[in-house]
């Protein structure tokens, strides 16, 4: 074999080896690229999942901050904000707001007799009774130890009284089941209906008047509804 052919053969082998190395390197790079991409996708997915979990947790905490943990109705904080907002809307829409306040009769004596577990069961039963009589647009809230309030939007005096009276009767006749036995409670009610757009009363004065009606129901013999049309 001549020198030139040897030279050409050597150069061809070198070029071939270079091409093979480049091709091999390229294949390795292409092979490795999806690994990095999959790893990146996993990182993004994990980060997105963590962010979604955090959002859900914040939403759950927000709900809990406005909810009474025992009865699962609104708490005082949410009730205050709800009433102020609906008061302003009622002014603009020339509509009515009805409020029903109720307090369980002789509840301290009931707790002394039956215990704290019976207290919790009684509050839960009453809360469920209240929720069963209102619409999704209305509100039930626990604003004190044994005191609840219902806000009904756009109702009349007659309809609101009917709701309050039916709730009173249902509470009186619903047994509180605990420790294999049953007991009963009653509640006293104060009720008012107001048109904020024509009334000179503030939202605070309205609440005070309904609370006084509840107090009158207590003084006049308990287990009854005291009402007033609070339009002026």
């Amino acid at each position: 074999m001549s020198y030139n052919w040897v030279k050409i053969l050597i150069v061809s082998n070198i070029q071939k080896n270079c091409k093979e190395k480049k091709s091999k390197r390229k294949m390795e790079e292409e092979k490795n690229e999806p690994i990095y991409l999959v790893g990146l996708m996993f990182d993004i997915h994990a980060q997105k999942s963590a962010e979604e979990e955090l959002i859900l947790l914040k939403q759950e905490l927000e709900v809990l901050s406005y909810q009474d943990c025992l009865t699962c109705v609104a708490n005082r904080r949410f009730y205050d904000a709800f009433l102020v907002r609906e008061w302003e809307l009622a002014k603009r829409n020339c509509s009515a707001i009805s409020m029903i306040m109720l307090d369980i009769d002789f509840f301290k004596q009931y707790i002394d007799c039956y215990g704290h577990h019976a207290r919790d069961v009684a509050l839960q039963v009453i809360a469920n009774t209240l929720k069963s009589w209102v619409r999704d647009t209305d509100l039930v809230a626990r604003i004190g130890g044994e005191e609840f309030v219902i806000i009904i939007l756009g109702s009349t005096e007659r309809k609101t009284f009917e709701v309050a009276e039916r709730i009173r009767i249902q509470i009186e006749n619903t047994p509180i089941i605990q420790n294999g036995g049953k007991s009963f409670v009653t509640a006293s009610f104060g009720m008012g209906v107001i048109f904020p757009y024509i009334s000179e009363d503030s939202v605070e004065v309205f609440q005070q008047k309904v609370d006084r009606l509840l107090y009158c129901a207590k003084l006049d013999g308990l287990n009854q509804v005291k009402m007033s049309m609070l339009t002026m």
Side-chain angles (χ1 to χ4, degrees):
M1 184 179 293
S2 66
Y3 173 76
N4 289 334
W5 281 106
V6 172
K7 184 178 179 180
I8 290 170
L9 183 60
I10 292 172
V11 171
S12 297
N13 287 336
I14 292 172
Q15 289 176 344
K16 183 180 179 182
N17 290 336
C18 288
K19 287 181 179 180
E20 288 178 352
K21 288 180 180 179
K22 287 181 179 179
S23 177
K24 186 177 181 180
R25 190 182 304 118
K26 186 176 181 181
M27 289 177 64
E28 288 177 352
E29 290 174 355
E30 291 176 350
K31 185 179 179 181
N32 289 336
E33 281 178 359
I35 295 176
Y36 295 130
L37 182 59
V38 170
L40 181 60
M41 290 173 65
F42 277 123
D43 287 343
I44 293 173
H45 180 71
Q47 183 179 357
K48 187 176 180 181
S49 297
E51 289 174 351
E52 290 175 349
E53 288 178 4
L54 183 60
I55 290 172
L56 289 174
L57 179 60
K58 286 182 178 178
Q59 291 174 344
E60 290 175 1
L61 290 174
E62 186 175 0
V63 169
L64 290 173
S65 70
Y66 288 113
Q67 188 179 75
D68 178 65
C69 60
L70 176 62
T71 61
C72 295
V73 299
N75 60 17
R76 182 65 189 245
R77 178 185 176 188
F78 186 84
Y79 158 74
D80 288 338
F82 179 88
L83 182 57
V84 169
R85 183 191 69 192
E86 294 301 329
W87 187 272
E88 295 304 318
L89 287 174
K91 279 184 177 179
R92 292 200 295 268
N93 298 331
C94 301
S95 57
I97 290 180
S98 301
M99 178 181 291
I100 301 171
M101 281 189 179
L102 62 140
D103 188 88
I104 304 173
D105 299 328
F106 297 120
F107 203 49
K108 185 180 183 303
Q109 292 89 330
Y110 179 87
I111 297 170
D112 292 341
C113 180
Y114 294 102
H116 287 81
H117 176 69
R119 173 203 62 186
D120 293 347
V121 174
L123 291 170
Q124 290 166 346
V125 168
I126 289 175
N128 290 333
T129 298
L130 302 183
K131 287 188 290 185
S132 69
W133 284 100
V134 301
R135 305 162 299 181
D136 291 339
T137 54
D138 303 326
L139 178 75
V140 175
R142 182 185 176 200
I143 58 174
E146 63 268 21
E147 189 172 2
F148 293 84
V149 64
I150 303 172
I151 301 297
I152 301 176
L153 305 175
S155 186
T156 64
E157 182 183 32
R158 180 181 61 82
K159 289 181 179 179
T160 304
F161 177 79
E162 287 176 356
V163 170
E165 184 63 17
R166 288 172 181 173
I167 291 173
R168 184 194 68 77
I169 293 170
Q170 185 169 335
I171 289 174
E172 181 181 21
N173 292 287
T174 300
I176 313 298
I177 308 297
Q178 83 287 330
N179 299 327
K182 63 181 180 179
S183 56
F184 293 86
V185 296
T186 62
S188 299
F189 295 71
M191 187 212 95
V193 180
I194 193 167
F195 291 87
Y197 71 99
I198 60 173
S199 175
E200 296 181 357
D201 286 347
S202 65
V203 63
E204 292 81 12
V205 171
F206 175 55
Q207 292 178 93
Q208 291 169 6
K209 287 184 175 181
V210 176
D211 191 50
R212 282 200 294 270
L213 289 167
L214 169 58
Y215 183 68
C216 289
K218 291 280 191 182
L219 291 179
D220 287 350
L222 308 171
N223 192 25
Q224 59 183 289
V225 180
K226 289 288 185 180
M227 59 181 286
S228 176
M229 188 70 172
L230 302 171
T231 57
M232 302 300 290

